[in-house]
Amino acid sequence: MRTVLAAVDDGPAARDVLQTALAIGDLTGAVVEALHVLGDTKPAPHGLVDEYGVALRVHDGPTGPCLLHAMADDAVVAAVLGAGRSPVDRRPAGRTTIDVLEQTTKPVVVVPPHYPMSPAGQQSPPRRLLIPLEGKRESSRPVIAAIDHLVVAEVEMVVLHVLTDATMPPMLDRPGRDLSMWGDEFVARFCSPASRIEVRIGDVAARVADLASEDHVDLVVMSWSRISASGRAKVVHEVLATSATPILLLPVSVPARRP
């Protein structure tokens, strides 16, 4: 039986995490289990979990290792965590969330602080996914394969590719027409299941936030190499720090470059 874990505590973010997990459960065809790690004297949120009719696991020990141990279960297909920061905090996420992201091999959804959710019992699966892609086969194909393995519900996939001065296609005689043709070719090469592509110019994280808001996106989907020193990790960290939409991070193994 496929399971989505919702890491909850007694804080204000617990309800957002639990509701997001229920939506991800519908998206992936999985049951949701709440996980609470005892710390200090904080009680387990039995009342909140009972409100949603979700089973609760209670572990005792360091939070990060307990989460990673629970996520290692073969039945767990994804986990949902709060960002662990305040809305004015410019860090990508709290230390525990970052530790889990860097060590797990399972998909993780990070819920931003104060993410607006529906009343209890009215959550629905994400229907519109925003997928920023670089335009490289080694990073694009694993993302599409992971989505295909994980998602069972009908969704609309919107690809975003952000152009910079260094990646702008040459010889645009008619920019509107030529970029449209170039975008169609991009989708055909890197994400054929996508319904459309949005080509933007500028900073990647800013364009992700802009399009997620404009297009009423339910979930941002990004690959994650788990190597914080990489250039891709910089973009992931910036999106984590600025997105008002939950982010699904898919750990992928990107082949090393040949010397």
Side-chain angles (χ1 to χ4, degrees):
M1 181 173 59
R2 289 157 65 99
T3 303
V4 169
L5 283 183
V8 297
D9 55 21
D10 64 341
R15 184 178 296 275
D16 297 340
V17 168
L18 192 53
Q19 288 198 7
T20 300
L22 288 166
I24 297 300
D26 289 338
L27 181 72
T28 60
V31 298
V32 175
E33 291 187 3
L35 173 67
H36 176 72
V37 179
L38 295 172
D40 300 325
T41 58
K42 294 181 179 179
H46 290 283
L48 175 64
V49 173
D50 291 344
E51 181 181 342
Y52 289 90
V54 171
L56 175 64
R57 302 186 196 179
V58 178
H59 289 202
D60 190 7
T63 302
C66 283
L67 288 174
L68 289 166
H69 177 74
M71 291 168 63
D73 190 314
D74 289 341
V76 174
V77 295
V80 181
L81 281 64
R85 61 176 178 83
S86 72
V88 296
D89 189 347
R90 304 318 297 168
R91 294 178 301 164
R95 186 66 258 169
T96 297
T97 299
I98 292 294
D99 286 345
V100 171
L101 289 174
E102 290 179 344
Q103 296 181 62
T104 186
T105 59
K106 299 290 182 69
V108 176
V109 177
V110 180
V111 183
H114 300 325
Y115 175 63
M117 294 298 295
S118 305
Q122 297 183 22
Q123 58 281 339
S124 59
R127 295 303 185 191
R128 182 170 293 164
L129 311 185
L130 176 60
I131 310 172
L133 292 180
E134 299 175 287
K136 299 178 182 177
R137 291 190 182 277
E138 64 268 25
S139 59
S140 300
R141 283 183 172 175
V143 174
I144 307 309
I147 293 174
D148 185 60
H149 173 74
L150 188 65
V151 173
V152 299
E154 291 292 328
V155 295
E156 177 188 0
M157 291 194 288
V158 179
V159 168
L160 170 65
H161 183 69
V162 180
L163 294 170
T164 65
D165 291 340
T167 60
M168 185 71 70
M171 300 178 64
L172 295 179
D173 297 327
R174 298 181 182 177
R177 181 204 64 181
D178 293 349
L179 277 179
S180 177
M181 295 174 59
W182 181 87
D184 291 342
E185 181 183 351
F186 185 100
V187 168
R189 292 179 62 193
F190 301 114
C191 186
S192 56
S195 60
R196 73 178 196 274
I197 182 172
E198 290 285 341
V199 181
R200 300 290 175 96
I201 300 172
D203 177 76
V204 177
R207 299 295 83 79
V208 169
D210 291 345
L211 185 55
S213 176
E214 294 168 13
D215 229 18
H216 304 291
V217 166
D218 299 308
L219 192 65
V220 177
V221 183
M222 300 186 72
S223 64
W224 166 237
S225 67
R226 300 180 297 150
I227 303 173
S228 292
S230 70
R232 185 64 172 169
K234 179 177 181 293
V235 173
V236 169
H237 285 177
E238 290 175 350
V239 172
L240 283 171
T242 58
S243 177
T245 303
I247 303 154
L248 170 59
L249 293 179
L250 301 170
V252 297
S253 297
V254 179
R257 294 178 181 273
R258 292 184 178 181

